[in-house]
C-alpha cells in the first residue's frame, strides 16, 4: 500500500526540503520505492538538495498541463536506484497547480511507489494546501522556537480540516520532527525544550535532528545528509525517524557528534 | 439594428444568520415593563447595539397593543428587529416584520437584581421549553488560526487553545488545558460569564467587551490555573486552588 506523506511546517527555512531529501533517501536506502515531489512551484530547491538540477527536463506543471507524461518527468537518483524526484517548475507560480491535476498525479504514483513524499512550500496558500491535500500522513517540521511552533500549530489545524482524508471524516497521521536542535542551548533555556514543543503541539514526536554543519555541507554538494555522511549525527537521527515512519519502535535519543580523542585533545587545548 | 440589451447584474442572495436577543414579555405588560426599567437602571447599555426580537408567545395582544409595546420599547432604546410567536394575521403595516424561528424559545437572563427583595410578583411560568444543548464540547486542541464561536452558551474545551486561536462564547469558557490564544466570554453582553482555564498564558481575555491583554495579566497568575470574571467594569483574574 502506497503511503502519501507531506512534509510541511508553515514557516519557511525550518528544514522541510532537507528533511524530505534525507527521509526519502533513508527510506529508499532500505529498498523501498520512493518518489519525492517538489511542490514549491517557482522557488524549487529539492532538485538542488538531491543534486539533480542538471537533469531536469519536464516538471510537475508540465505533467499537470499534459505537456509531458509522468514517467518523462520523473528523475531517478544517481546513487539510489529506487529514489525518484518529480521537480517543480521554476518559471511558473503556485496558481499553475490544479487540484485535479495533483489528484491525478498522486493516483498514478500510488500504483508504482511505496512512498510518495510531498515537499510543501512555506505558507498556508495554494502550494501548501495542495501539497497536503491527498496525504495519508504528515511530518510537521518544527524548530524549537516560538514562531515556528505557532506556525506548526496552525498547519496541524489545517491538516485536520482541509485534507481530503479529514473531509472524509478520517484522521491524518501526524508526526512532529524537531530540527536544528541544540541540546546545550535548550538546557540553558535559550531554546524551547522538546517537552515544551510537544506540550504545545500535542502531537507525537517522530525524531529530533541536532543542529549540525553536516546538513549544510550535504546541501552544498547536492546530496541528502543521509547519503553524504550516513554516520553523522543528523543522518543517524533521520534514519531513526525513517524507521519510526515505517512503524518500527526505535528509542528516542538525540544523536550527538562523536568526537575522537584528537578532537577532545584539541578542544581542551583551545579552552 | 437591434437595441443593445442592458447587461443585467447577477443578483446575489445569501442566507445569513444573526444573533439577536429574544425578549419575552410576560403578562401583565405594565409590570413587565417596570421590571425591564429596573434592570435597565442597573445595566443601561444592556441592549445597546444588540438586535432584539420580541417573542410574544407568552401574551395575547391585539395589533394595536403590539404597536404600543414596540414604541414603549423604543422609548427605552430597545430597537425591535422583528416579532415572533404571533399569528401573522395580527400583523399590520407599521409593525416590525414577523420572524419565524425553528428554535424553541429560550429566555435570556437579564442582569440579576442585587437586592434580594426586588421581585414583588412571580411571573407565570412558561410552558417547559424543549431543552437544546446550551453548551459546546470540544474534545481536541484548538489550533492557531482556528476560531470557535458559540453564542448560545458555554464552551468547554478538553485540550489546549493555541497561540493565535480564538474562542468566542455567549456564556462562559472552560479550558481543561493551556489557554494560549484569545478567549472572549459573555460575547452577547453577559457580564456574568467567566473564563476558567488550567493554565493561563492567554493573549487576550475578555468578558462582555471588557478585556485584558497578555501584558496586563499579572505574572503571579500567569501559567497557573485561573479564572476571570467581571466586577463592575474591571476584569478580575485570580488563581484557583
Amino acid at each position: 500500500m502506497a503511503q502519501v506523506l507531506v512534509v510541511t511546517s508553515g514557516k519557511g527555512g525550518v528544514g522541510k526540503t532537507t528533511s524530505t531529501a534525507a527521509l526519502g533517501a533513508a527510506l529508499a536506502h532500505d529498498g523501498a520505492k520512493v518518489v519525492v515531489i517538489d511542490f514549491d512551484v517557482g522557488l524549487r530547491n529539492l532538485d538542488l538538495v538531491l543534486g539533480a538540477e542538471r537533469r531536469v527536463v519536464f516538471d510537475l506543471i508540465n505533467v499537470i498541463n499534459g505537456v509531458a507524461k509522468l514517467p518523462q518527468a520523473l528523475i531517478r537518483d544517481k546513487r539510489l536506484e529506487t529514489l525518484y524526484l518529480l521537480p517543480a517548475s521554476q518559471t511558473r507560480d503556485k496558481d499553475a497547480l490544479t487540484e485535479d491535476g495533483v489528484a491525478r498525479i498522486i493516483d498514478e504514483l500510488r500504483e508504482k511507489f511505496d512512498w510518495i513524499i510531498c515537499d510543501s512550500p512555506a505558507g498556508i496558500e495554494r502550494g501548501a494546501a495542495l501539497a497536503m491535500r491527498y496525504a495519508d500522513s504528515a511530518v510537521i517540521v518544527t524548530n524549537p522556537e516560538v514562531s515556528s511552533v505557532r506556525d506548526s500549530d496552525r498547519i496541524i489545524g489545517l491538516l485536520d480540516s482541509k485534507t481530503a482524508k479529514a473531509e472524509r471524516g478520517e484522521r491524518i497521521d501526524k508526526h512532529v520532527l524537531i530540527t536544528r536542535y541544540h541540546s546545550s542551548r535548550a538546557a540553558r533555556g535559550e531554546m524551547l525544550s522538546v517537552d515544551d514543543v510537544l506540550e504545545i503541539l500535542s502531537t507525537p514526536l517522530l525524531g529530533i535532528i541536532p543542529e549540525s554543519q553536516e546538513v549544510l555541507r550535504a546541501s552544498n554538494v547536492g546530496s541528502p545528509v543521509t547519503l553524504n555522511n550516513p554516520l553523522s549525527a543528523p543522518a543517524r537521527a533521520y534514519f531513526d525517524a525513517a524507521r519510526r515512519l515505517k512503524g518500527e519502535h526505535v528509542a528516542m535519543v538525540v544523536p550527538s557528534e562523536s568526537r575522537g580523542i584528537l578532537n577532545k585533545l584539541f578542544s581542551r587545548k583551545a579552552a | 439594428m437591434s437595441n443593445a440589451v442592458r447587461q443585467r447584474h447577477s443578483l446575489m442572495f445569501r442566507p445569513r444568520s444573526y444573533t439577536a436577543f429574544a425578549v419575552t414579555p410576560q403578562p401583565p405588560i405594565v409590570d413587565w415593563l417596570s421590571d425591564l426599567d429596573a434592570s435597565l437602571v442597573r445595566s443601561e447599555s444592556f441592549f445597546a447595539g444588540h438586535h432584539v426580537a420580541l417573542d410574544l408567545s407568552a401574551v395575547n395582544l391585539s395589533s394595536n397593543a403590539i404597536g404600543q409595546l414596540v414604541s414603549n420599547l423604543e422609548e427605552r432604546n430597545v430597537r425591535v428587529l422583528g416579532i415572533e410567536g404571533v399569528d401573522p394575521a395580527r400583523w399590520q403595516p407599521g409593525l416590525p416584520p414577523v420572524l419565524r424561528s425553528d428554535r424553541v424559545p429560550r429566555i435570556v437572563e437579564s442582569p440579576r437584581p442585587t437586592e434580594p427583595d426586588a421581585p414583588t410578583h412571580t411571573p407565570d411560568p412558561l410552558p417547559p421549553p424543549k431543552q437544546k444543548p446550551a453548551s459546546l464540547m470540544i474534545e481536541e486542541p484548538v489550533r492557531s488560526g482556528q476560531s470557535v464561536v458559540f453564542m448560545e452558551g458555554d464552551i468547554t474545551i478538553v485540550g489546549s487553545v493555541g497561540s493565535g486561536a480564538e474562542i468566542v462564547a455567549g456564556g462562559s469558557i472552560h479550558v481543561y488545558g493551556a489557554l494560549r490564544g484569545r478567549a472572549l466570554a459573555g460575547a452577547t453582553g453577559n457580564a456574568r460569564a467567566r473564563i476558567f482555564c488550567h493554565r493561563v498564558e492567554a493573549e487576550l481575555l475578555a468578558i462582555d467587551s471588557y478585556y485584558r491583554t497578555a501584558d496586563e495579566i499579572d505574572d503571579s497568575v500567569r501559567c497557573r490555573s485561573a479564572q476571570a470574571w467581571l466586577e463592575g467594569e474591571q476584569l478580575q483574574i485570580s488563581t484557583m486552588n
Side-chain angles (χ1 to χ4, degrees):
Chain A
M1 237 323 245
Q3 269 281 323
V4 181
L5 177 74
V6 61
V7 177
T8 185
S9 69
K11 193 171 184 300
V14 295
K16 285 180 296 296
T17 300
T18 303
S19 297
T20 303
L23 288 173
L27 289 165
H29 191 264
D30 296 343
K33 282 197 82 179
V34 179
V35 58
V36 290
I37 311 177
D38 192 347
F39 272 85
D40 207 346
V41 180
L43 292 168
R44 75 173 181 214
N45 283 148
L46 192 52
D47 55 331
L48 288 170
V49 176
L50 285 170
E53 74 278 9
R54 291 150 65 121
R55 292 188 290 143
V56 175
V57 183
F58 295 112
D59 57 46
L60 179 62
I61 302 302
N62 293 146
V63 180
I64 286 178
N65 294 340
V67 174
K69 295 230 182 312
L70 186 55
Q72 293 177 291
L74 289 174
I75 303 170
R76 176 190 273 186
D77 188 78
K78 280 185 171 168
R79 296 146 296 207
L80 291 170
E81 59 176 23
T82 56
L83 178 62
Y84 288 80
L85 164 70
L86 180 53
S89 166
Q90 184 70 355
T91 53
R92 305 292 296 274
D93 60 36
K94 269 83 175 171
D95 293 338
L97 289 167
T98 66
E99 191 164 331
D100 287 349
V102 173
R104 216 174 52 235
I105 288 172
I106 301 263
D107 277 346
E108 204 175 330
L109 291 171
R110 273 182 194 272
E111 309 276 306
K112 298 176 193 148
F113 288 92
D114 301 316
W115 290 93
I116 298 150
I117 307 182
C118 305
D119 181 20
S120 172
I124 53 172
E125 290 78 22
R126 191 175 186 81
L130 286 175
M132 70 168 67
R133 182 81 188 132
Y134 301 102
D136 303 311
S137 54
V139 170
I140 300 110
V141 181
T142 305
N143 289 167
E145 46 100 13
V146 283
S147 57
S148 172
V149 173
R150 179 161 76 182
D151 290 359
S152 294
D153 195 44
R154 176 93 163 100
I155 281 289
I156 293 170
L158 296 176
L159 285 165
D160 283 338
S161 58
K162 302 285 186 194
T163 52
K165 213 173 172 187
E167 284 173 6
R168 290 196 301 270
E170 297 167 40
R171 297 287 297 190
I172 183 163
D173 282 330
K174 299 177 293 288
H175 317 268
V176 170
L177 182 67
I178 298 178
T179 56
R180 313 198 68 163
Y181 185 74
H182 232 290
S183 32
S184 56
R185 290 185 59 195
R188 289 198 299 269
E190 294 169 16
M191 263 184 179
L192 291 180
S193 71
V194 171
D195 287 346
D196 289 340
V197 175
L198 296 181
E199 206 267 313
I200 295 173
L201 297 179
S202 45
T203 299
L205 180 64
L206 182 69
I208 304 163
I209 314 296
E211 170 83 74
S212 166
Q213 286 295 321
E214 284 301 323
V215 174
L216 185 63
R217 200 169 296 154
S219 293
N220 285 339
V221 298
S223 170
V225 68
T226 39
L227 291 184
N228 196 50
N229 186 355
L231 295 177
S232 65
R236 281 181 289 143
Y238 276 120
F239 275 114
D240 283 356
R243 286 170 60 196
R244 291 186 196 105
L245 273 180
K246 290 193 289 186
E248 289 178 37
H249 185 80
V250 185
M252 190 66 68
V253 284
V254 189
S256 56
E257 307 283 356
S258 56
R259 289 185 167 187
I261 289 176
L262 269 181
N263 266 338
K264 279 187 183 158
L265 282 177
F266 279 128
S267 63
R268 209 164 287 164
K269 231 178 199 173
Chain B
M1 258 336 236
S2 67
N3 286 334
V5 179
R6 184 175 73 93
Q7 186 80 40
R8 280 182 192 278
H9 292 290
S10 59
L11 296 174
M12 307 269 275
F13 297 102
R14 291 201 190 89
R16 193 169 283 184
S17 53
Y18 298 88
T19 304
F21 277 125
V23 175
T24 312
Q26 305 288 333
I29 294 289
V30 184
D31 290 352
W32 181 81
L33 278 174
S34 66
D35 286 355
L36 179 70
D37 285 337
S39 72
L40 284 176
V41 167
R42 283 191 297 274
S43 175
E44 228 173 278
S45 59
F46 187 64
F47 290 104
H50 291 294
H51 305 298
V52 171
L54 194 55
D55 181 354
L56 297 174
S57 54
V59 289
N60 188 8
L61 299 178
S62 66
S63 327
N64 288 337
I66 296 171
Q68 182 62 44
L69 179 57
V70 169
S71 54
N72 285 340
L73 288 171
E74 271 174 7
E75 285 163 15
R76 291 165 174 79
N77 275 327
V78 179
R79 307 221 179 282
V80 178
L81 180 76
I83 50 181
E84 66 171 327
V86 66
D87 182 2
R90 299 247 175 106
W91 187 84
Q92 64 181 31
L95 287 181
V98 177
L99 302 172
R100 260 181 322 181
S101 150
D102 341 317
R103 291 163 194 249
V104 288
R106 193 184 301 127
I107 301 168
V108 175
E109 284 280 327
S110 68
R112 278 178 190 284
T114 38
E115 61 277 43
D117 56 346
T120 50
H121 75 284
T122 46
D124 298 346
L126 280 181
K130 257 190 254 157
Q131 206 64 50
K132 258 202 167 185
S135 67
L136 177 69
M137 174 69 71
I138 294 180
E139 289 175 277
E140 40 199 51
V142 181
R143 305 288 183 180
S144 181
Q146 292 178 334
S147 170
V148 177
V149 180
F150 184 70
M151 290 303 188
E152 287 82 355
D154 290 10
I155 301 180
T156 305
I157 294 153
V158 186
S160 295
V161 177
S163 158
E166 187 177 62
I167 312 294
V168 185
S172 297
I173 296 173
H174 312 259
V175 181
Y176 294 91
L179 170 54
R180 302 192 174 92
R182 304 165 143 239
L184 293 82
T188 47
N190 178 5
R192 289 180 50 81
R194 292 191 180 197
I195 300 168
F196 303 88
C197 62
H198 251 2
R199 189 178 156 96
V200 59
E201 295 174 54
E203 291 164 343
L204 183 104
L205 295 174
I207 296 172
D208 181 20
S209 75
Y210 297 99
Y211 64 89
R212 270 203 210 194
T213 60
D215 260 3
E216 298 157 350
I217 298 174
D218 203 78
D219 281 345
S220 61
V221 295
R222 184 154 280 279
C223 295
R224 298 179 62 182
S225 114
Q227 66 163 320
W229 73 97
L230 208 55
E231 221 170 82
E233 300 191 347
Q234 271 287 315
L235 187 81
Q236 305 286 343
I237 307 170
S238 79
T239 57
M240 292 189 292
N241 60 53

